[in-house]
Amino acid sequence: MRRSTTVYLYELAWILPSIAIPVGMLAALAVTALGAGIHLPGRDGRIDPTQVAQTPPFDEPGLVQVAPGRFEVRMTAQVWSFAPNEIRVPVGSTVTFVATSKDVVHGLLIPKANVNVMLLPGQIARATARFDRPGEYPMFCHEYCGIAHHVMWGKVIVETYP
Ligand code: CUA
C-alpha cells in the first residue's frame, strides 16, 4: 500500500508539470496574440507589386507633415531612383519612411540616421528616425539592383530655421 502511494505521487509529480507547462505556454501565446497584439506578418503590409503607382499612398510619393515636428515620407523605389529623391525637414523632426519597391529588391540605408531597411516589391517597409542635427543625410540603395545600382541615392536635408 505504502509503496503504491509513493509510485502514485511520483507519477503525479511528472504528470502535473506535463499538463501545466503546455497550458502555461498556450496562455502566454493567448496573452501576446490578444493582449500585446503580436502577430505574424499579414496582408496589411502588402500591396500588389504591379499596382504600386496606383495604390495609395504610393500614388503620390512625397513628404507629409502628420503632426508638429513629425513627418511621413511616402516613398517608392524603382530602378534606379527613389521618389522622392530629396527630402527637406526642419531640425529636430521625427520622420517615418513608408516605402516599397515598384520592381526589384532595393534597399534604403541612411547611415547617419538609424534607417536600414530592405524594399521588396509590394511589401511596405517602415522606419522612423529623428534628425537632431542640421545638414545633409545621404540615403543609399544598398541592395544590388542592376547596372546603375551605384547611382541610386538621394538625400535628406535637415534645415535650421532662423
Ligand atoms: Cu536600387 Cu540598388
Side-chain angles (χ1 to χ4, degrees):
M1 187 68 192
R2 190 181 179 84
R3 184 178 157 79
S4 67
T5 307
T6 309
V7 170
Y8 175 74
L9 287 176
Y10 185 71
E11 281 183 343
L12 210 59
W14 284 99
I15 290 167
L16 286 181
S18 72
I19 294 168
I21 290 170
V23 167
M25 285 176 160
L26 276 175
L29 207 65
V31 166
T32 50
L34 305 174
I38 295 171
H39 302 291
L40 290 172
R43 297 281 313 164
D44 301 352
R46 251 178 264 165
I47 58 172
D48 183 347
T50 63
Q51 301 292 318
V52 171
Q54 288 80 43
T55 307
F58 304 107
D59 53 341
E60 288 178 22
L63 182 73
V64 178
Q65 184 160 17
V66 290
R70 298 190 76 91
F71 296 85
E72 191 174 283
V73 185
R74 287 93 189 252
M75 178 183 273
T76 62
Q78 52 275 309
V79 282
W80 288 282
S81 65
F82 296 108
N85 201 41
E86 191 177 294
I87 296 150
R88 284 175 186 273
V89 292
V91 69
S93 298
T94 301
V95 181
T96 299
F97 295 83
V98 182
T100 190
S101 165
K102 284 183 174 174
D103 38 45
V104 297
V105 176
H106 298 279
L108 174 62
L109 173 69
I110 308 177
K112 288 165 71 182
N114 190 19
V115 175
N116 182 346
V117 288
M118 286 181 77
L119 304 178
L120 307 172
Q123 179 75 45
I124 300 169
R126 285 173 191 275
T128 299
R130 198 176 144 85
F131 292 89
D132 278 328
R133 291 175 178 218
E136 287 192 3
Y137 293 67
M139 51 185 190
F140 303 101
C141 175
H142 67 307
E143 294 289 336
Y144 181 73
C145 54
I147 193 80
H149 160 70
H150 61 286
V151 302
M152 185 169 169
W153 67 284
K155 58 189 167 186
V156 180
I157 299 166
V158 179
E159 299 175 320
T160 30
Y161 285 171

